[in-house]
Amino acid sequence: NAGVTQTPKFQVLKTGQSMTLQCAQDMNHEYMSWYRQDPGMGLRLIHYSVGAGITDQGEVPNGYNVSRSTTEDFPLRLLSAAPSQTSVYFCASSYGAGRDGYEQYFGPGTRLTVT
Amino acid sequence: EDQVTQSPEALRLQEGESSSLNCSYTVSGLRGLFWYRQDPGKGPEFLFTLYSAGEEKEKERLKATLTKKESFLHITAPKPEDSATYLCAVQAMGRRALTFGSGTRLQVQP
C-alpha cells in the first residue's frame, strides 16, 4: 500500500491564482480530511468527508473548496490564493468505524507559498 | 469547544535522560486521545490511541497514559533518534474530526 499520497510537494503561487492540491489513499478509508499546519498553531481542520459525495466544513474552511467523487481521492481547491494561505497542507484518512478505526493516517504534506 | 494544550513547547534532553510530555484536554465526552510523532518536513505518524482513564500503551521507549483531564507521554532513556515533535489530539463522542494541540518539540542530544 502506498498509504496517503499528496501532490505536489512544493508550490509557489501568486496572489489571485487558483490551484488544486491532490490527495489519494489506497486503504479503502471512508473518512478523509484536509488540515493546514502553521507555526505555533497546530493542525487545523479545513474540510472533511465521510464518504464519496459527502463533504463538510471544518474549523477554517474559508477560501477552500473540496469534492469527493470517489473513495480514493479528495482534492482541495484554492479558488483565489491569498498570502494568508501560505502554509503546509496535510491530507489524512481513517477507516472511520470500529474501536480502532478512527486513527488518522497522514500524507507527506504540500508546502504552499503565496506571494 | 474541544481544547488541547501541550506542554512544554520545547524540551531538550541528554541521551538517557527520561522525561514526560503533557497533554491537557477538555472535550465533551472523550471517544479517544491520540499521540502522533512528526519529523521535520514530514506528515504526522500515528503512535497510540487511548480510550479511557487508567489506560496505558507502550512502544519501545515510549509509554502513553491517560487520566480524565490529561495524558502523558513518558520517554525512557531517550536516544537522538527520538528527536521530533510530538502531537496530541482528541476526538469527541459522535464526531469524526480530531482537535490537535500545538505539539512539543523534543530534542535529544548525544
Side-chain angles (χ1 to χ4, degrees), chain B residues 11-20 75-79 106-109:
Chain B
L11 182 62
R12 184 178 295 179
L13 300 174
Q14 292 295 123
E15 185 172 2
E17 179 186 1
S18 301
S19 188
S20 296
I75 303 176
T76 302
K79 298 181 178 182
L106 174 66
Q107 184 178 8
V108 182
Q109 296 183 316

Side-chain angles (χ1 to χ4, degrees), chain A residues 37 98-100 102 104, chain B residues 31 36 38 49 51 91 96:
Chain A
Q37 186 174 41
R99 175 178 166 87
D100 295 320
Y102 294 93
Q104 293 191 20
Chain B
R31 191 195 177 282
Y36 287 84
Q38 187 175 23
T49 309
Y51 295 101
Q91 183 185 31
R96 299 291 190 99

Side-chain angles (χ1 to χ4, degrees), chain A residues 12-115:
Chain A
V12 179
L13 290 178
K14 294 186 187 304
T15 297
Q17 286 184 318
S18 63
M19 78 159 296
T20 299
L21 281 63
Q22 301 291 345
C23 173
Q25 53 88 13
D26 61 357
M27 298 174 282
N28 201 31
H29 284 172
E30 288 296 324
Y31 182 85
M32 296 185 73
S33 54
W34 277 101
Y35 295 87
R36 60 178 290 172
Q37 186 174 41
D38 302 293
M41 301 192 72
L43 287 156
R44 292 184 291 168
L45 183 65
I46 304 171
H47 284 286
Y48 65 94
S49 169
V50 297
I54 306 169
T55 64
D56 206 345
Q57 297 180 349
E59 180 185 354
V60 287
N62 293 341
Y64 308 95
N65 276 357
V66 292
S67 61
R68 183 111 178 258
S69 56
T70 67
T71 300
E72 294 78 20
D73 301 296
F74 191 43
L76 178 71
R77 298 184 187 84
L78 282 71
L79 299 179
S80 179
S84 61
Q85 294 178 304
T86 293
S87 187
V88 182
Y89 291 84
F90 290 101
C91 180
S93 73
S94 67
Y95 182 61
R99 175 178 166 87
D100 295 320
Y102 294 93
E103 300 140 8
Q104 293 191 20
Y105 294 89
F106 284 80
T110 294
R111 185 174 295 273
L112 175 68
T113 302
V114 183
T115 61

Side-chain angles (χ1 to χ4, degrees), chain B residues 19-94:
Chain B
S19 188
S20 296
L21 312 182
N22 177 263
C23 171
S24 297
Y25 66 91
T26 56
V27 64
S28 52
L30 180 70
R31 191 195 177 282
L33 184 141
F34 304 85
W35 281 98
Y36 287 84
R37 170 191 170 127
Q38 187 175 23
D39 293 299
K42 296 192 175 182
E45 175 188 350
F46 170 75
L47 292 173
F48 305 109
T49 309
L50 300 168
Y51 295 101
S52 57
E55 189 175 2
E56 300 182 352
K57 286 192 177 176
E58 290 189 61
K59 180 179 181 179
E60 296 181 356
R61 295 176 292 282
L62 300 178
K63 183 169 81 171
T65 62
L66 181 65
T67 73
K68 289 188 177 180
K69 293 184 178 180
E70 56 193 350
S71 178
F72 293 94
L73 185 65
H74 307 277
I75 303 176
T76 302
K79 298 181 178 182
E81 53 261 42
D82 295 321
S83 298
T85 296
Y86 291 86
L87 302 171
C88 173
V90 296
Q91 183 185 31
M93 287 288 190

